[in-house]
Amino acid sequence: MLVDSPPEPRAETAPAPPNRRAVRVAGLFLSLAVLVIVAVASIAIGAKELSLEQVWHGLFEDSGAYGDVVVGERLSRTVLGLLVGAVLGLAGAVLQALTRNPLADPGLLGINAGASAAVVTAISFFGVTSLSGYVWFAFGGAAAVGVLVYVLGGSRGATPVRLALAGTAISAALYGYLQAVMIMDEAALGTMRFWTVGSLASATSSTIWQVLPFLAAGTVLALALARPLNAMAMGDDTARALGAHLNRTRALSMAAATVLCGAATAACGPIVFVGLMVPHVVRSFTGPDLRWILPYATVLSPVLLLGADVVGRMVARPAELQVGIVTAILGGPVFIFLVRRRRTAQL
């Protein structure tokens, strides 16, 4: 008599790995939620202590003293911080892809130095004292340096190394000029010194509307460059084989970074390390694909900037520590860590 043999045990099916795209999308929504929380904290927390009830009344019901503080100061400051943080992160990611240097930031190509030198010139030699007056000097200086770096870097034959070297040389010269002017003009020293550290304290709705068209145009251009920059990351020969136009992509990348950094620096002064830290951190969990790096950097950079601004308001009450100082304090150790880790990986 035949006896049925017991069925063979089936091999356990390994769980399917999670969809990487779904994880990235979920992470982006989580990042947006964190950004909303930080933005609310930026409105609620300031050098002047207000309860949540007072903040609510000032934001939605009261046009008096609370409204002046919450809407007139903190809301404009928060909106400007959101915009400037987003474009600094976006510009940093574009420049890191353009120069193929993960430690690059908007200051590498001299754009911040150009804007700073133009503002110092406006204050010292033309007597400009209002933000609405020298915002255009800053933008013009950034644009002029962007063009100069591109020309000195080889124009149509520009390479990442040439662009970086040209930007570094121009930055050194311009910062020397800036320091000389500040030392010679004692009357304008206070104004120039306050502006050159980077601050959101002078944010107004007028400033936001003036720089918004430039920020929007630069953002659209930078996001549109994700695919060609991805191709260039694989090398010039491979990029050409994939149909990428190298010179056009480099020129448009320089233009996008110049518009973004120039407008941001014009609005609140040179703020360092945001464009360095955030894209570098984002790359560690998104990989090298700029189609994900750029959106993540755009969302997480204002988290860093607004968070640093809130910290600056809290640690020195009733005075304030400017956001440019806080980001420099945070960014210095992070930059050293990144450089050391990069050298260790190369050994």
Side-chain angles (χ1 to χ4, degrees), residues 42-68:
S42 178
I43 296 174
I45 301 173
K48 181 177 181 179
E49 295 190 32
L50 295 177
S51 66
L52 292 178
E53 182 180 0
Q54 291 171 331
V55 171
W56 179 268
H57 281 291
L59 194 58
F60 296 105
E61 301 174 11
D62 186 9
S63 59
Y66 296 148
D68 291 340

Side-chain angles (χ1 to χ4, degrees), residues 74-119:
R74 294 185 188 176
L75 184 60
S76 297
R77 186 172 186 160
T78 299
V79 172
L80 185 61
L82 287 170
L83 294 174
V84 169
V87 301
L88 287 177
L90 193 59
V94 168
L95 290 177
Q96 288 175 11
L98 175 64
T99 60
R100 298 175 194 166
N101 181 359
L103 300 180
D105 76 329
L108 179 67
L109 299 185
I111 297 172
N112 287 349
S116 300
V119 169

Side-chain angles (χ1 to χ4, degrees), residues 206-300:
S206 175
T207 303
I208 294 171
W209 285 113
Q210 286 183 62
V211 300
L212 186 58
F214 299 105
L215 299 180
T219 298
V220 171
L221 179 57
L223 292 174
L225 291 170
R227 287 183 180 275
L229 285 173
N230 272 344
M232 288 177 59
M234 294 183 284
D236 290 357
D237 294 336
T238 304
R240 289 192 188 95
L242 293 173
H245 300 277
L246 302 186
N247 292 327
R248 185 175 68 185
T249 300
R250 288 185 179 124
L252 291 177
S253 298
M254 283 291 300
T258 298
V259 171
L260 292 174
C261 296
T265 305
C268 54
I271 297 177
V272 297
F273 287 118
V274 174
L276 165 68
M277 288 188 288
V278 176
H280 194 86
V281 171
V282 165
R283 194 179 295 105
S284 67
F285 59 83
T286 64
D289 191 346
L290 283 165
R291 292 174 298 176
W292 290 103
I293 293 175
L294 296 182
Y296 266 100
T298 304
V299 173
L300 291 177

Side-chain angles (χ1 to χ4, degrees), residues 6-26:
E8 295 181 2
R10 295 181 179 179
E12 293 291 334
T13 303
N19 187 293
R20 192 171 184 181
R21 180 183 176 85
V23 172
R24 286 171 169 173
V25 171

Side-chain angles (χ1 to χ4, degrees), residues 181-207:
V181 174
M182 291 177 64
I183 291 173
M184 291 188 298
D185 191 349
E186 295 183 2
L189 178 60
T191 303
M192 291 186 290
R193 183 172 54 191
F194 176 81
W195 185 86
T196 53
V197 298
S199 173
L200 297 173
S202 300
T204 63
S205 58
S206 175
T207 303

